[in-house]
Protein backbone atom coordinates (compact mmCIF):
# COMPACT_ATOMS: atom_id res chain seq x y z
CA UNK A 1 0.00 0.00 0.00
CA UNK A 2 1.21 3.49 -0.84
CA UNK A 3 2.54 5.25 2.23
CA UNK A 4 1.46 8.88 1.95
CA UNK A 5 3.73 9.97 4.82
CA UNK A 6 6.81 8.72 2.98
CA UNK A 7 5.60 10.29 -0.27
CA UNK A 8 5.01 13.51 1.63
CA UNK A 9 8.57 13.32 2.92
CA UNK A 10 9.97 12.80 -0.60
CA UNK A 11 7.95 15.73 -1.92
CA UNK A 12 9.20 17.94 0.93
CA UNK A 13 12.75 16.88 0.15
CA UNK A 14 12.28 17.76 -3.51
CA UNK A 15 10.58 21.05 -2.60
CA UNK A 16 13.57 22.11 -0.45
CA UNK A 17 15.68 22.13 -3.62
CA UNK A 18 12.87 23.24 -5.88
CA UNK A 19 14.94 25.44 -8.23
CA UNK A 20 17.44 22.68 -8.94
CA UNK A 21 14.79 19.99 -9.30
CA UNK A 22 12.56 22.15 -11.48
CA UNK A 23 15.50 22.86 -13.79
CA UNK A 24 16.25 19.13 -13.82
CA UNK A 25 12.65 18.22 -14.76
CA UNK A 26 12.63 20.86 -17.53
CA UNK A 27 15.89 19.63 -19.09
CA UNK A 28 14.92 15.98 -18.64
CA UNK A 29 11.48 16.59 -20.21
CA UNK A 30 13.03 18.46 -23.15
CA UNK A 31 15.44 15.59 -23.80
CA UNK A 32 12.55 13.11 -23.74
CA UNK A 33 10.48 15.45 -25.94
CA UNK A 34 13.31 15.53 -28.50
CA UNK A 35 13.80 11.78 -28.47
CA UNK A 36 10.03 11.21 -28.50
CA UNK A 37 9.55 13.64 -31.40
CA UNK A 38 12.10 11.74 -33.47
CA UNK A 39 10.35 8.45 -32.73
CA UNK A 40 6.84 9.76 -33.39
CA UNK A 41 7.81 11.58 -36.59
CA UNK A 42 9.83 8.76 -38.12
CA UNK A 43 7.16 6.21 -37.28
CA UNK A 44 4.42 8.41 -38.77
CA UNK A 45 6.39 8.96 -41.98
CA UNK A 46 7.26 5.29 -42.23
CA UNK A 47 3.61 4.34 -41.75
CA UNK A 48 2.57 6.83 -44.44
CA UNK A 49 5.11 5.31 -46.84
CA UNK A 50 4.21 1.70 -46.07
CA UNK A 51 0.44 2.23 -46.10
CA UNK A 52 0.39 4.14 -49.40
CA UNK A 53 3.31 2.83 -51.45
CA UNK A 54 2.05 -0.74 -51.25
CA UNK A 55 -0.05 0.31 -54.25
CA UNK A 56 3.02 1.41 -56.22
CA UNK A 57 4.14 -0.59 -59.27
CA UNK A 58 5.47 -4.08 -58.51
CA UNK A 59 8.63 -3.39 -60.54
CA UNK A 60 10.03 -0.18 -62.02
CA UNK A 61 12.61 -0.74 -64.76
CA UNK A 62 15.18 1.96 -65.43
CA UNK A 63 17.86 1.93 -68.09
CA UNK A 64 21.41 2.67 -67.04
CA UNK A 65 23.94 4.15 -69.43
CA UNK A 66 27.42 5.16 -68.34
CA UNK A 67 26.41 4.68 -64.73
CA UNK A 68 23.50 7.09 -65.01
CA UNK A 69 19.76 6.83 -65.47
CA UNK A 70 18.90 7.10 -69.19
CA UNK A 71 15.69 7.08 -71.27
CA UNK A 72 14.53 3.52 -71.87
CA UNK A 73 13.43 2.25 -75.32
CA UNK A 74 9.74 1.31 -75.28
CA UNK A 75 10.70 -1.90 -77.19
CA UNK A 76 11.98 -3.22 -73.87
CA UNK A 77 8.36 -3.39 -72.71
CA UNK A 78 7.66 -6.05 -75.34
CA UNK A 79 10.55 -8.21 -74.08
CA UNK A 80 9.42 -7.93 -70.47
CA UNK A 81 5.74 -8.55 -71.31
CA UNK A 82 6.68 -11.95 -72.76
CA UNK A 83 7.95 -13.25 -69.40
CA UNK A 84 5.43 -15.62 -67.80
CA UNK A 85 3.58 -14.04 -64.86
CA UNK A 86 3.97 -10.49 -66.16
CA UNK A 87 0.81 -8.45 -66.71
CA UNK A 88 0.81 -4.99 -68.13
CA UNK A 89 4.09 -3.19 -68.86
CA UNK A 90 3.53 0.57 -68.95
CA UNK A 91 6.03 3.15 -70.21
CA UNK A 92 6.10 6.20 -67.94
CA UNK A 93 7.10 9.69 -68.96
CA UNK A 94 8.07 11.99 -66.14
CA UNK A 95 10.84 14.37 -65.17
CA UNK A 96 11.88 17.40 -63.18
CA UNK A 97 11.33 21.05 -63.91
CA UNK A 98 13.30 23.75 -62.13
CA UNK A 99 11.60 27.07 -61.61
CA UNK A 100 14.22 29.79 -61.31
CA UNK A 101 11.73 32.36 -59.99
CA UNK A 102 10.87 30.59 -56.76
CA UNK A 103 13.87 28.25 -56.89
CA UNK A 104 11.57 25.26 -56.71
CA UNK A 105 11.80 21.86 -58.34
CA UNK A 106 8.55 20.52 -59.73
CA UNK A 107 7.96 16.91 -60.71
CA UNK A 108 6.13 16.68 -64.03
CA UNK A 109 4.27 13.44 -64.62
CA UNK A 110 2.67 12.29 -67.88
CA UNK A 111 -0.62 10.46 -67.63
CA UNK A 112 -1.79 8.27 -70.49
CA UNK A 113 -5.41 7.31 -71.16
CA UNK A 114 -8.60 8.15 -69.31
CA UNK A 115 -8.77 7.80 -65.52
CA UNK A 116 -11.71 7.77 -63.15
CA UNK A 117 -12.25 10.66 -60.79
CA UNK A 118 -10.32 10.31 -57.50
CA UNK A 119 -11.51 11.44 -54.07
CA UNK A 120 -8.21 13.20 -53.40
CA UNK A 121 -8.43 15.31 -56.54
CA UNK A 122 -10.48 18.51 -56.66
CA UNK A 123 -11.38 18.95 -60.32
CA UNK A 124 -10.46 16.36 -62.92
CA UNK A 125 -7.47 14.81 -64.63
CA UNK A 126 -6.27 16.51 -67.82
CA UNK A 127 -8.47 15.60 -70.77
CA UNK A 128 -6.72 17.75 -73.36
CA UNK A 129 -3.05 18.44 -74.15
CA UNK A 130 -3.35 21.96 -72.75
CA UNK A 131 -4.68 20.89 -69.34
CA UNK A 132 -2.82 20.00 -66.18
CA UNK A 133 -3.35 18.99 -62.55
CA UNK A 134 -1.13 20.45 -59.81
CA UNK A 135 -0.26 19.50 -56.24
CA UNK A 136 -1.31 21.62 -53.26
CA UNK A 137 2.30 22.74 -52.72
CA UNK A 138 2.49 24.14 -56.26
CA UNK A 139 -0.89 25.81 -55.77
CA UNK A 140 0.19 27.37 -52.45
CA UNK A 141 3.51 28.61 -53.83
CA UNK A 142 2.09 30.18 -56.98
CA UNK A 143 -1.53 30.80 -56.01
CA UNK A 144 -3.50 29.48 -59.00
CA UNK A 145 -7.03 28.09 -58.79
CA UNK A 146 -8.80 25.59 -61.01
CA UNK A 147 -9.30 27.19 -64.42
CA UNK A 148 -6.26 29.46 -64.12
CA UNK A 149 -3.36 29.21 -66.49
CA UNK A 150 -0.08 27.46 -65.74
CA UNK A 151 2.69 28.82 -67.92
CA UNK A 152 5.88 26.78 -68.24
CA UNK A 153 8.92 27.09 -70.47
CA UNK A 154 9.54 23.92 -72.42
CA UNK A 155 12.90 22.38 -73.30
CA UNK A 156 13.37 24.88 -76.16
CA UNK A 157 12.47 27.81 -73.84
CA UNK A 158 9.10 28.34 -75.51
CA UNK A 159 6.21 29.54 -73.37
CA UNK A 160 3.64 26.78 -73.01
CA UNK A 161 0.25 27.36 -71.39
CA UNK A 162 -1.75 24.75 -69.50
CA UNK A 163 -5.18 25.20 -67.92
CA UNK A 164 -5.29 23.95 -64.33
CA UNK A 165 -8.05 21.34 -64.47
CA UNK A 166 -7.58 20.05 -60.93
CA UNK A 167 -5.65 20.42 -57.69
CA UNK A 168 -4.76 17.50 -55.42
CA UNK A 169 -6.34 17.80 -51.98
CA UNK A 170 -4.07 18.59 -49.04
CA UNK A 171 -4.58 15.14 -47.45
CA UNK A 172 -2.39 13.76 -50.23
CA UNK A 173 0.36 16.37 -49.74
CA UNK A 174 2.95 13.80 -48.81
CA UNK A 175 2.44 12.16 -52.20
CA UNK A 176 1.53 14.97 -54.57
CA UNK A 177 2.86 18.22 -53.14
CA UNK A 178 5.19 19.17 -56.02
CA UNK A 179 3.43 17.30 -58.84
CA UNK A 180 2.25 18.75 -62.13
CA UNK A 181 0.33 16.07 -64.05
CA UNK A 182 -0.04 16.57 -67.80
CA UNK A 183 -1.19 14.32 -70.60
CA UNK A 184 1.62 12.02 -71.66
CA UNK A 185 1.81 13.37 -75.21
CA UNK A 186 1.90 16.95 -73.94
CA UNK A 187 4.69 16.14 -71.50
CA UNK A 188 6.64 14.28 -74.20
CA UNK A 189 6.46 17.40 -76.40
CA UNK A 190 7.28 19.62 -73.44
CA UNK A 191 10.46 17.75 -72.46
CA UNK A 192 11.36 16.87 -76.05
CA UNK A 193 11.43 13.15 -75.29
CA UNK A 194 11.58 11.31 -78.63
CA UNK A 195 8.85 8.84 -79.56
CA UNK A 196 9.85 5.27 -78.80
CA UNK A 197 11.47 6.22 -75.49
CA UNK A 198 10.16 6.61 -71.95
CA UNK A 199 11.61 7.66 -68.59
CA UNK A 200 11.09 4.18 -67.17
CA UNK A 201 8.75 1.19 -67.35
CA UNK A 202 6.37 -0.11 -64.72
CA UNK A 203 5.77 -3.84 -64.66
CA UNK A 204 2.66 -5.50 -63.26
CA UNK A 205 3.32 -8.92 -61.72
CA UNK A 206 0.32 -11.09 -60.91
CA UNK A 207 1.90 -13.20 -58.18
CA UNK A 208 3.78 -11.17 -55.54
CA UNK A 209 6.04 -14.17 -54.84
CA UNK A 210 7.35 -14.02 -58.42
CA UNK A 211 8.40 -10.37 -58.28
CA UNK A 212 12.05 -11.10 -57.38
CA UNK A 213 12.36 -13.85 -59.99
CA UNK A 214 10.97 -11.61 -62.72
CA UNK A 215 13.25 -8.75 -61.61
CA UNK A 216 16.24 -11.11 -61.94
CA UNK A 217 15.03 -12.17 -65.40
CA UNK A 218 14.73 -8.55 -66.49
CA UNK A 219 18.27 -7.83 -65.29
CA UNK A 220 19.53 -10.96 -67.10
CA UNK A 221 17.81 -10.44 -70.46
CA UNK A 222 18.19 -6.65 -70.48
CA UNK A 223 21.67 -6.16 -68.95
CA UNK A 224 21.57 -2.36 -69.21
CA UNK A 225 18.39 -2.21 -67.16
CA UNK A 226 17.93 -1.74 -63.42
CA UNK A 227 14.75 -3.24 -62.00
CA UNK A 228 13.56 -1.78 -58.68
CA UNK A 229 11.03 -3.96 -56.88
CA UNK A 230 8.29 -2.74 -54.57
CA UNK A 231 9.95 -4.51 -51.65
CA UNK A 232 13.17 -2.57 -52.29
CA UNK A 233 11.16 0.61 -52.43
CA UNK A 234 9.46 -0.08 -49.10
CA UNK A 235 12.75 -1.21 -47.60
CA UNK A 236 14.30 2.12 -48.63
CA UNK A 237 11.68 3.99 -46.60
CA UNK A 238 11.93 1.54 -43.76
CA UNK A 239 15.66 2.20 -43.44
CA UNK A 240 15.33 5.92 -44.15
CA UNK A 241 12.89 6.44 -41.29
CA UNK A 242 14.26 3.83 -38.99
CA UNK A 243 15.17 5.58 -35.74
CA UNK A 244 18.38 3.58 -35.55
CA UNK A 245 19.67 4.86 -38.89
CA UNK A 246 19.27 7.62 -41.40
CA UNK A 247 19.10 11.32 -40.86
CA UNK A 248 17.15 11.08 -37.62
CA UNK A 249 19.95 9.18 -35.93
CA UNK A 250 21.92 12.42 -35.63
CA UNK A 251 19.15 14.11 -33.64
CA UNK A 252 18.46 11.00 -31.63
CA UNK A 253 22.10 10.52 -30.70
CA UNK A 254 22.59 14.21 -29.81
CA UNK A 255 19.62 14.13 -27.46
CA UNK A 256 20.75 10.83 -25.99
CA UNK A 257 24.24 12.25 -25.39
CA UNK A 258 22.72 15.30 -23.68
CA UNK A 259 20.77 12.97 -21.44
CA UNK A 260 23.84 10.91 -20.63
CA UNK A 261 25.70 14.09 -19.62
CA UNK A 262 22.77 14.94 -17.36
CA UNK A 263 22.77 11.46 -15.85
CA UNK A 264 26.56 11.52 -15.49
CA UNK A 265 26.30 14.78 -13.58
CA UNK A 266 23.95 13.07 -11.16
CA UNK A 267 26.11 9.98 -10.89
CA UNK A 268 29.34 11.83 -10.12
CA UNK A 269 28.09 12.83 -6.71
CA UNK A 270 25.42 14.36 -4.60
CA UNK A 271 25.63 17.76 -2.98
CA UNK A 272 27.02 18.31 0.55
CA UNK A 273 23.50 19.26 1.66
CA UNK A 274 22.09 15.95 0.46
CA UNK A 275 24.92 14.06 2.12
CA UNK A 276 24.24 15.85 5.41
CA UNK A 277 20.55 15.00 5.11
CA UNK A 278 21.38 11.32 4.61
CA UNK A 279 23.74 11.44 7.62
CA UNK A 280 21.01 12.95 9.81
CA UNK A 281 18.51 10.34 8.69
CA UNK A 282 21.00 7.58 9.50
CA UNK A 283 21.68 9.15 12.92
CA UNK A 284 17.91 9.23 13.54
CA UNK A 285 17.76 5.50 12.99
CA UNK A 286 16.89 5.17 9.30
CA UNK A 287 18.38 2.11 7.67
CA UNK A 288 20.19 2.17 4.33
CA UNK A 289 17.20 0.53 2.64
CA UNK A 290 14.88 3.27 3.96
CA UNK A 291 17.14 5.97 2.58
CA UNK A 292 17.41 4.20 -0.76
CA UNK A 293 13.60 3.88 -0.82
CA UNK A 294 13.22 7.61 -0.21
CA UNK A 295 15.75 8.45 -2.93
CA UNK A 296 14.06 6.01 -5.32
CA UNK A 297 10.70 7.75 -4.72
CA UNK A 298 12.30 11.13 -5.41
CA UNK A 299 13.95 9.87 -8.60
CA UNK A 300 10.71 8.21 -9.75
CA UNK A 301 8.73 11.40 -9.12
CA UNK A 302 11.21 13.39 -11.21
CA UNK A 303 11.66 10.89 -14.02
CA UNK A 304 7.98 9.97 -14.39
CA UNK A 305 6.96 13.64 -14.38
CA UNK A 306 9.62 14.39 -16.99
CA UNK A 307 8.57 11.35 -19.06
CA UNK A 308 4.89 12.28 -19.06
CA UNK A 309 5.54 15.97 -19.78
CA UNK A 310 8.19 15.12 -22.39
CA UNK A 311 5.98 12.72 -24.30
CA UNK A 312 3.03 15.12 -24.20
CA UNK A 313 5.32 17.84 -25.59
CA UNK A 314 6.54 15.44 -28.29
CA UNK A 315 2.95 14.62 -29.25
CA UNK A 316 2.03 18.32 -29.49
CA UNK A 317 5.22 19.08 -31.40
CA UNK A 318 4.75 16.36 -34.02
CA UNK A 319 1.00 15.94 -34.44
CA UNK A 320 -0.35 19.38 -33.58
CA UNK A 321 2.45 21.74 -34.64
CA UNK A 322 3.78 19.57 -37.48
CA UNK A 323 7.27 19.01 -36.02
CA UNK A 324 8.69 22.48 -36.79
CA UNK A 325 11.98 21.69 -35.02
CA UNK A 326 12.73 18.53 -37.01
CA UNK A 327 11.30 19.61 -40.36
CA UNK A 328 14.34 21.66 -41.45
CA UNK A 329 16.29 18.38 -41.43
CA UNK A 330 13.94 16.90 -44.01
CA UNK A 331 13.38 20.12 -45.89
CA UNK A 332 16.99 21.04 -46.66
CA UNK A 333 16.91 23.54 -49.50
CA UNK A 334 13.52 22.43 -50.75
CA UNK A 335 11.27 25.34 -51.58
CA UNK A 336 8.09 23.34 -52.00
CA UNK A 337 7.62 21.47 -48.78
CA UNK A 338 4.38 19.80 -47.81
CA UNK A 339 2.33 21.00 -44.87
CA UNK A 340 2.07 17.80 -42.92
CA UNK A 341 -1.07 16.01 -42.03
CA UNK A 342 0.78 13.15 -40.37
CA UNK A 343 -1.07 9.97 -39.47
CA UNK A 344 -1.37 9.78 -35.67
CA UNK A 345 0.16 6.37 -35.34
CA UNK A 346 2.20 5.13 -32.41
CA UNK A 347 4.60 2.29 -31.92
CA UNK A 348 4.25 1.40 -28.23
CA UNK A 349 7.33 -0.81 -28.42
CA UNK A 350 9.50 2.18 -29.39
CA UNK A 351 8.04 4.27 -26.58
CA UNK A 352 8.68 1.46 -24.12
CA UNK A 353 12.33 1.46 -25.23
CA UNK A 354 12.42 5.22 -24.83
CA UNK A 355 11.13 4.85 -21.27
CA UNK A 356 13.70 2.17 -20.56
CA UNK A 357 16.72 4.07 -21.92
CA UNK A 358 15.82 7.28 -20.10
CA UNK A 359 14.19 6.31 -16.80
CA UNK A 360 16.32 3.32 -15.76
CA UNK A 361 19.75 5.01 -16.18
CA UNK A 362 18.47 8.04 -14.30
CA UNK A 363 17.26 5.90 -11.41
CA UNK A 364 20.59 4.09 -11.31
CA UNK A 365 22.51 7.37 -11.40
CA UNK A 366 20.47 8.70 -8.49
CA UNK A 367 20.59 5.59 -6.35
CA UNK A 368 24.28 4.73 -6.63
CA UNK A 369 25.68 7.93 -4.99
CA UNK A 370 22.85 7.84 -2.43
CA UNK A 371 23.74 4.25 -1.58
CA UNK A 372 27.42 5.22 -1.22
CA UNK A 373 26.53 8.02 1.20
CA UNK A 374 23.97 5.90 3.07
CA UNK A 375 26.38 3.05 3.64
CA UNK A 376 29.01 5.36 5.17
CA UNK A 377 29.30 6.27 8.83
CA UNK A 378 26.70 8.99 9.69
CA UNK A 379 29.25 11.03 11.59
CA UNK A 380 31.64 11.09 8.63
CA UNK A 381 28.85 11.93 6.23
CA UNK A 382 27.56 14.83 8.36
CA UNK A 383 31.06 16.24 8.82
CA UNK A 384 31.60 15.95 5.04
CA UNK B 1 -1.01 14.70 2.80
CA UNK B 2 -2.68 17.28 0.58
CA UNK B 3 0.58 17.86 -1.27
CA UNK B 4 0.86 14.12 -1.97
CA UNK B 5 -2.70 13.94 -3.25
CA UNK B 6 -2.24 16.98 -5.48
CA UNK B 7 1.02 15.57 -6.83
CA UNK B 8 -0.44 12.12 -7.48
CA UNK B 9 -3.57 13.62 -9.05
CA UNK B 10 -1.54 15.79 -11.43
CA UNK B 11 0.71 12.91 -12.41
CA UNK B 12 -2.28 10.61 -12.80
CA UNK B 13 -4.12 13.13 -14.97
CA UNK B 14 -1.04 13.64 -17.15
CA UNK B 15 -0.56 9.89 -17.45
CA UNK B 16 -4.23 9.41 -18.37
CA UNK B 17 -4.08 12.06 -21.10
CA UNK B 18 -0.87 10.52 -22.42
CA UNK B 19 -2.26 6.98 -22.41
CA UNK B 20 -5.44 8.18 -24.16
CA UNK B 21 -3.42 9.93 -26.87
CA UNK B 22 -1.10 6.97 -27.34
CA UNK B 23 -3.96 4.50 -27.40
CA UNK B 24 -5.78 6.64 -29.95
CA UNK B 25 -2.65 6.44 -32.11
CA UNK B 26 -2.23 2.73 -31.53
CA UNK B 27 -5.67 1.59 -32.70
CA UNK B 28 -6.80 2.02 -36.30
CA UNK B 29 -10.06 3.79 -37.08
CA UNK B 30 -12.42 3.05 -39.98
CA UNK B 31 -12.37 6.58 -41.45
CA UNK B 32 -8.58 6.43 -41.57
CA UNK B 33 -8.74 3.19 -43.54
CA UNK B 34 -10.91 4.98 -46.10
CA UNK B 35 -8.29 7.73 -46.44
CA UNK B 36 -5.50 5.15 -46.78
CA UNK B 37 -7.47 3.48 -49.59
CA UNK B 38 -7.97 6.83 -51.32
CA UNK B 39 -4.25 7.46 -51.13
CA UNK B 40 -3.50 3.99 -52.48
CA UNK B 41 -5.87 4.66 -55.40
CA UNK B 42 -3.93 7.83 -56.15
CA UNK B 43 -0.60 5.98 -55.96
CA UNK B 44 -1.89 3.27 -58.29
CA UNK B 45 -3.17 5.74 -60.91
CA UNK B 46 -0.07 7.94 -60.95
CA UNK B 47 2.43 5.12 -60.35
CA UNK B 48 3.92 7.06 -57.44
CA UNK B 49 7.07 5.47 -56.04
CA UNK B 50 8.16 8.02 -53.43
CA UNK B 51 6.94 10.47 -50.82
CA UNK B 52 7.02 14.10 -51.91
CA UNK B 53 9.11 15.16 -48.95
CA UNK B 54 12.26 16.93 -49.99
CA UNK B 55 12.43 18.33 -53.51
CA UNK B 56 15.87 19.91 -53.27
CA UNK B 57 17.57 17.19 -55.33
CA UNK B 58 16.34 14.36 -57.49
CA UNK B 59 17.89 11.75 -55.23
CA UNK B 60 16.03 13.08 -52.20
CA UNK B 61 12.77 13.60 -54.10
CA UNK B 62 12.77 10.04 -55.42
CA UNK B 63 14.81 8.20 -52.81
CA UNK B 64 13.90 4.73 -54.01
CA UNK B 65 14.77 5.56 -57.63
CA UNK B 66 18.15 7.04 -56.75
CA UNK B 67 21.32 5.71 -58.29
CA UNK B 68 22.82 3.17 -55.92
CA UNK B 69 25.92 1.95 -57.62
CA UNK B 70 27.57 4.55 -59.81
CA UNK B 71 31.09 5.64 -58.98
CA UNK B 72 30.11 9.15 -57.90
CA UNK B 73 26.80 8.25 -56.40
CA UNK B 74 24.05 10.71 -55.70
CA UNK B 75 22.33 9.27 -52.71
CA UNK B 76 20.93 10.58 -49.44
CA UNK B 77 23.51 10.47 -46.68
CA UNK B 78 26.25 9.71 -49.22
CA UNK B 79 29.66 11.07 -48.36
CA UNK B 80 30.46 14.39 -49.99
CA UNK B 81 32.36 13.70 -53.20
CA UNK B 82 34.68 16.67 -52.90
CA UNK B 83 35.74 18.62 -49.81
CA UNK B 84 34.73 21.88 -51.48
CA UNK B 85 31.13 20.65 -51.62
CA UNK B 86 30.69 21.41 -47.96
CA UNK B 87 32.11 24.93 -48.07
CA UNK B 88 30.89 26.34 -51.38
CA UNK B 89 27.30 27.56 -50.94
CA UNK B 90 24.57 27.31 -53.59
CA UNK B 91 24.18 30.15 -56.10
CA UNK B 92 22.36 33.21 -54.78
CA UNK B 93 18.66 33.53 -55.63
CA UNK B 94 17.98 35.12 -59.01
CA UNK B 95 14.91 36.86 -60.33
CA UNK B 96 14.37 35.31 -63.76
CA UNK B 97 11.10 33.40 -63.91
CA UNK B 98 10.01 30.33 -65.74
CA UNK B 99 6.70 29.34 -64.21
CA UNK B 100 4.01 31.98 -64.35
CA UNK B 101 0.47 31.50 -63.13
CA UNK B 102 -2.17 33.84 -64.48
CA UNK B 103 -5.90 33.77 -64.00
CA UNK B 104 -7.86 33.24 -67.22
CA UNK B 105 -9.35 36.70 -66.94
CA UNK B 106 -5.94 38.34 -66.75
CA UNK B 107 -4.63 36.24 -69.61
CA UNK B 108 -7.33 37.38 -72.01
CA UNK B 109 -6.40 40.40 -74.12
Amino acid sequence: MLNFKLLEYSLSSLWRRKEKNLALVVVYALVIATLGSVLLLTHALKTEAVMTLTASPEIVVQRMLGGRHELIPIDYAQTIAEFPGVGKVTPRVWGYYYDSLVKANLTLVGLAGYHEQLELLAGRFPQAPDEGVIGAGVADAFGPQIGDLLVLEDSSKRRTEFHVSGIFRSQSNLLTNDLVVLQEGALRDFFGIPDGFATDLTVQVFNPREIDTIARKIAYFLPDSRPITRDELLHTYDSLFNWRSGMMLAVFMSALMAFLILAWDRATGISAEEKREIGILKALGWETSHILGAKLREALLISLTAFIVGLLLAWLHVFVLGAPVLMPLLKGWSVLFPTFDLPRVIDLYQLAILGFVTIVPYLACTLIPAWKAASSDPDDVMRG
Amino acid sequence: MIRSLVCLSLMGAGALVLVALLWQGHVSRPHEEVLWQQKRDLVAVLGITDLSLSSEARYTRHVSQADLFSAFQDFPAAFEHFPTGSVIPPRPAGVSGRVIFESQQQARP
Side-chain angles (χ1 to χ4, degrees), chain A residues 2 4 7-8 11-12 15 45 47-49 51-57 60 62 64 67-68 92 94 96-101 103 105-107 111 115 118-120 125 138 142 144 147-153 157 159 163 168 171-179 181 226 228 233 236-237 241 301 304-305 308 311-312 315 330-334 336-338 340 343-346 348 351, chain B residues 1-8 10-27 29 32-72 74-77 85 88-105 107-108:
Chain A
L2 186 64
F4 279 98
L7 185 64
E8 191 76 21
L11 284 170
S12 306
W15 189 251
L45 287 172
T47 305
E48 178 82 21
M51 293 297 279
T52 56
L53 297 180
T54 44
S56 62
V60 175
Q62 296 176 343
M64 304 302 294
R68 298 185 76 91
R92 293 198 308 175
W94 62 276
Y96 302 107
Y97 179 87
Y98 177 65
D99 168 48
S100 55
L101 181 65
K103 299 279 176 190
N105 286 311
L106 310 180
T107 302
L111 197 61
H115 293 277
L118 291 177
E119 286 292 329
L120 292 176
F125 278 120
V138 183
F142 299 96
D148 290 352
L149 281 180
L150 163 64
V151 184
L152 307 174
E153 269 185 359
K157 304 294 177 200
R159 184 183 151 102
H163 294 274
F168 291 111
Q171 291 100 317
S172 68
N173 266 2
L174 271 168
L175 296 164
T176 59
N177 191 54
D178 66 338
L179 288 192
V181 180
R226 177 194 175 208
I228 302 165
L233 193 148
T236 301
Y237 278 92
F241 296 128
L301 281 169
L304 286 180
T305 306
I308 292 169
L311 271 190
L312 284 173
W315 176 276
L330 290 170
K331 188 176 178 183
W333 291 335
S334 311
L336 297 185
F337 195 68
F340 279 78
R344 295 183 179 188
V345 286
I346 297 291
L348 292 180
L351 295 185
Chain B
M1 188 76 169
I2 291 172
R3 195 154 50 185
S4 307
L5 282 174
V6 170
C7 172
L8 285 180
L10 282 176
M11 282 181 73
L16 267 180
V17 172
L18 185 64
V19 167
L21 288 174
L22 297 184
W23 186 250
Q24 184 216 6
H26 189 62
V27 294
R29 289 170 294 281
E32 279 187 354
E33 190 44 51
V34 173
L35 184 61
W36 287 129
Q37 190 51 53
Q38 289 171 355
K39 288 182 181 179
R40 281 194 285 268
D41 291 344
L42 184 70
V43 167
V45 167
L46 295 178
I48 291 172
T49 53
D50 289 88
L51 296 184
S52 172
L53 264 179
S54 175
S55 57
E56 64 174 335
R58 59 176 186 269
Y59 50 90
T60 57
R61 173 62 182 86
H62 288 97
V63 183
S64 72
Q65 311 295 300
D67 184 3
L68 289 172
F69 44 77
S70 60
F72 296 99
D74 293 335
F75 194 68
I88 295 179
R91 284 190 308 150
V95 287
S96 62
R98 283 187 184 176
V99 177
I100 307 157
F101 287 103
E102 295 170 357
S103 74
Q104 247 180 337
Q105 249 181 344
R108 282 184 193 131

Side-chain angles (χ1 to χ4, degrees), chain A residues 215-236:
Chain A
R216 276 198 296 273
K217 275 188 185 175
I218 292 170
Y220 180 78
F221 284 101
L222 301 168
D224 60 346
S225 69
R226 177 194 175 208
I228 302 165
T229 65
R230 189 163 58 194
D231 273 355
E232 286 175 335
L233 193 148
L234 293 173
H235 180 69
T236 301

Side-chain angles (χ1 to χ4, degrees), chain A residues 8-310:
Chain A
E8 191 76 21
Y9 172 78
S10 298
L11 284 170
S12 306
S13 176
L14 289 173
W15 189 251
R16 276 199 299 279
R17 294 177 289 274
K18 51 183 172 296
E19 291 86 7
K20 186 188 162 197
N21 286 324
L22 189 66
L24 189 64
V25 168
V26 169
V27 173
Y28 198 168
L30 283 177
V31 169
I32 289 175
T34 310
L35 292 168
S37 296
V38 172
L39 292 181
L40 293 180
L41 177 67
T42 50
H43 187 66
L45 287 172
K46 197 161 72 175
T47 305
E48 178 82 21
V50 169
M51 293 297 279
T52 56
L53 297 180
T54 44
S56 62
E58 281 86 356
I59 302 177
V60 175
V61 183
Q62 296 176 343
R63 184 185 175 214
M64 304 302 294
L65 187 69
R68 298 185 76 91
H69 181 201
E70 186 65 27
L71 293 179
I72 190 165
I74 291 178
D75 298 350
Y76 281 25
Q78 189 58 41
T79 311
I80 296 168
E82 285 169 6
F83 296 148
V86 170
K88 202 173 169 190
V89 183
T90 313
R92 293 198 308 175
V93 177
W94 62 276
Y96 302 107
Y97 179 87
Y98 177 65
D99 168 48
S100 55
L101 181 65
V102 291
K103 299 279 176 190
N105 286 311
L106 310 180
T107 302
L108 272 57
V109 176
L111 197 61
Y114 172 78
H115 293 277
E116 291 290 325
Q117 179 63 28
L118 291 177
E119 286 292 329
L120 292 176
L121 174 65
R124 56 176 170 74
F125 278 120
Q127 290 176 1
D130 65 343
E131 288 185 346
V133 169
I134 57 175
V138 183
D140 286 345
F142 299 96
Q145 297 300 315
I146 295 173
D148 290 352
L149 281 180
L150 163 64
V151 184
L152 307 174
E153 269 185 359
D154 67 10
S155 57
S156 55
K157 304 294 177 200
R158 279 180 312 196
R159 184 183 151 102
T160 313
E161 292 180 348
F162 298 98
H163 294 274
V164 176
S165 65
I167 299 176
F168 291 111
R169 294 187 203 281
S170 58
Q171 291 100 317
S172 68
N173 266 2
L174 271 168
L175 296 164
T176 59
N177 191 54
D178 66 338
L179 288 192
V180 176
V181 180
L182 304 173
Q183 280 204 334
E184 190 190 301
L187 188 62
R188 198 178 276 282
D189 291 342
F190 184 82
F191 278 141
I193 296 176
D195 289 340
F197 287 89
T199 310
D200 52 28
L201 305 173
T202 62
V203 181
Q204 182 192 20
V205 179
F206 295 123
N207 184 353
R209 290 196 291 185
E210 288 183 351
I211 292 176
D212 285 344
T213 312
I214 289 170
R216 276 198 296 273
K217 275 188 185 175
I218 292 170
Y220 180 78
F221 284 101
L222 301 168
D224 60 346
S225 69
R226 177 194 175 208
I228 302 165
T229 65
R230 189 163 58 194
D231 273 355
E232 286 175 335
L233 193 148
L234 293 173
H235 180 69
T236 301
Y237 278 92
D238 188 52
S239 56
L240 183 64
F241 296 128
N242 194 323
W243 64 278
R244 285 165 296 186
S245 64
M247 68 191 98
M248 290 300 171
L249 183 67
V251 181
F252 194 87
M253 288 310 294
S254 309
L256 204 59
M257 287 306 292
F259 173 73
L260 288 177
I261 291 168
L262 179 79
W264 179 253
D265 183 54
R266 292 287 298 173
T268 46
I270 50 179
S271 65
E273 190 194 347
E274 281 176 283
K275 276 186 184 168
R276 197 160 56 244
E277 184 187 323
I278 289 171
I280 292 168
L281 291 173
K282 287 274 286 188
L284 287 172
W286 282 44
E287 289 176 14
T288 305
S289 60
H290 296 150
I291 292 167
L292 287 182
K295 289 291 162 194
L296 181 67
R297 269 190 298 278
E298 284 178 27
L300 271 176
L301 281 169
I302 285 181
S303 51
L304 286 180
T305 306
F307 190 74
I308 292 169
V309 173

